[in-house]
Amino acid sequence: YCLVCSDMCIRDRYNDMDFLEVETPILQPIPGGAAARPFITHHNTLDMPLYLRIANELYLKRLIVGGFDGVYEFSKDFRNEGMDRTHNPEFTVMEMYAAYKDYHWMMDTTETLLEKVALELHGTTQVKLEDKIIEFKAPYKRIGILDAIKEHTGFDLYKKSEDEVRAAAKSLGLEVDDTMGIGKLIDEIFGEKCEHNYIQPTFIMDHPVEMSPLTKKHRSKEGLTERFELMVNGKELANAYSELNDPIEQRARFEDQMALSEKGDDEAMFIDQDFLRALEYGMPPTSGIGIGIDRLTMFMTDSASIQDVLFFPQMRPEKKALELSDNEKT
C-alpha cells in the first residue's frame, strides 16, 4: 500500500506540473547514466552485447533534447554489485528531468514532494524510523560535501591532488588502491566517515567535478559541480544535479572516465557517442533527479531491510546458503 501510495503522490505532483510520464529502453547498447557495474547479455539476431540499464538518465535527457520540457519515469534498474539491507541488484527508481531549471529549484521541489508523501501516508511530516523520528517538513539542511568531510574528519580536501586525497583516506584507516581516482576516494571518505551522521533529511551539495561526470560545473566554486545527494537516516535517498549540456566538455568527462576504466575501475562510465550527438543538437539548461523508490518505501514504513519492502528480493539459492553456513562453522 505504501509503495503504491507514494508512487501516486509523486505521479500526481509531476502530472500537475504538466510533466509527461514515459518509458525508456531496459536493454541498452551502452550502460550509461551512473557509475556502476552492469549486467551484460547478448542479442543473437544483431550479434551484439546489450546491457541491462543501470540508469535511464541519458535516454530521458535525449527527450529533453527532443523538445519535451518535463519528463519522468518509474523504472527498474539493475546493478551487478554487492547486496546488503539497503541494496538489491534489481531496484525501482523514479527519474525526472525539467528543462530551464537548476539544482536549487530541484532541491525546493524535492523537499516539498517528500513532505507531501509523508503527509499523504501518515497525516504528519514526522515519520518513525527505527528508534528515531524523521522530520520531512521542508526546508531541509544543506551542506557542501567537502564541508561535511572537513567537519567530521578534519581534512580540507578542496583543490587537493589525487595523491593528497589518497593519503588522507589512508590516514583515516580506509582501504584504497591506485585504481581509485579523486572522485571515488572522496566518495569513500564521505561514505565511511560522514554519511551516517545525517539522520534528518539533508542535501549534501557541490561535489567535485571528478565525482560527477554528467554534472554542470558550479557557477561560482571552481572545481565543484551543481549536484546534491539527499541523505535520510544515514543513507542516500536521491541524487540530482544541474545537467551538463556542453557536448565538448561532456566528451572530455567521458574520456576521463575511460582513463579510470583503463586503470582498473570497473564502474567507470562508457563513452556514449549517441548521447554526445544529441547534446550537439542542443539541450537547454536542465535539472534532473533520481529517487530510490524502494528506499523511500523503507523510510515510510519503518522497515529495516530492503527485503521487507520487496515481494521477491534476490536471495542466495538455499543450497549455496547452506554451503556458506557450513564453511563458517568449520
Side-chain angles (χ1 to χ4, degrees), residues 4 26 30 36 131 179 181 191 203 207 220 225 227 236 269 277 305:
V4 172
I26 294 175
I30 290 176
D131 58 345
T179 69
F203 292 117
H207 298 57
S220 62
T225 62
R227 174 184 174 187
E236 177 192 338
M269 293 185 186
R277 187 179 304 113
S305 171

Side-chain angles (χ1 to χ4, degrees), residues 22 24 56-64 71 95 97:
V22 299
T24 60
N56 49 350
E57 174 173 342
L58 301 189
Y59 285 87
L60 291 173
K61 288 198 281 193
R62 286 169 170 85
L63 294 175
I64 298 293
V71 293
E95 290 208 25
Y97 292 81

Side-chain angles (χ1 to χ4, degrees), residues 70-275:
V71 293
Y72 71 96
E73 179 179 16
F74 287 85
S75 67
K76 284 289 187 181
D77 289 354
F78 308 84
R79 298 182 183 178
N80 195 359
E81 300 174 342
M83 295 168 54
D84 57 33
R85 68 186 187 90
T86 61
H87 293 87
N88 194 64
E90 174 183 351
F91 59 98
T92 302
V93 66
M94 189 291 306
E95 290 208 25
M96 181 271 278
Y97 292 81
Y100 308 106
K101 306 297 183 183
D102 65 8
Y103 79 140
H104 291 294
W105 176 89
M106 189 63 79
M107 279 186 272
D108 295 341
T109 301
T110 301
E111 62 191 8
T112 56
L113 173 69
L114 295 181
E115 179 181 319
K116 178 184 176 184
V117 170
L119 284 168
E120 188 74 22
L121 289 170
H122 298 286
T124 175
T125 57
Q126 296 186 342
V127 177
K128 180 181 178 300
L129 183 57
E130 299 170 359
D131 58 345
K132 315 173 190 77
I133 298 296
I134 307 298
E135 176 58 83
F136 281 100
K137 184 174 178 58
Y140 301 162
K141 179 181 177 181
R142 304 180 184 191
I143 183 173
I145 187 171
L146 296 184
D147 294 329
I149 289 174
K150 185 176 180 180
E151 178 181 321
H152 294 290
T153 71
F155 284 96
D156 184 352
L157 301 181
Y158 185 49
K159 293 187 177 181
K160 292 297 190 290
S161 69
E162 182 177 314
D163 288 340
E164 289 173 314
V165 176
R166 183 175 287 106
K170 288 181 178 178
S171 70
L172 290 168
L174 304 181
E175 293 185 11
V176 298
D177 57 55
D178 292 338
T179 69
M180 301 170 71
I182 290 179
K184 225 171 187 184
L185 291 166
I186 291 176
D187 189 48
E188 187 74 11
I189 292 170
F190 179 79
E192 292 297 321
K193 299 298 181 179
C194 305
E195 71 176 19
H196 63 275
N197 294 292
Y198 297 100
I199 303 303
Q200 298 302 321
T202 304
F203 292 117
I204 303 297
M205 308 165 52
D206 302 343
H207 298 57
V209 170
E210 294 86 355
M211 296 182 71
S212 313
L214 298 167
T215 310
K216 182 171 286 189
K217 286 183 179 178
H218 200 283
R219 65 197 73 182
S220 62
K221 299 176 182 177
E222 184 181 353
L224 304 183
T225 62
E226 297 193 349
R227 174 184 174 187
F228 71 79
E229 294 174 292
L230 175 59
M231 308 301 299
V232 177
N233 197 37
K235 294 296 179 182
E236 177 192 338
L237 175 59
N239 186 30
Y241 23 93
S242 300
E243 305 294 335
L244 177 57
N245 60 345
D246 180 338
I248 297 174
E249 185 175 349
Q250 184 63 81
R251 183 178 294 278
R253 301 271 195 98
F254 278 149
E255 289 171 351
D256 289 342
Q257 288 289 299
M258 289 303 294
L260 290 173
S261 179
E262 290 167 2
K263 285 177 60 176
D265 185 348
D266 59 4
E267 294 184 349
M269 293 185 186
F270 290 50
I271 296 179
D272 190 330
Q273 300 290 352
D274 185 61
F275 175 65

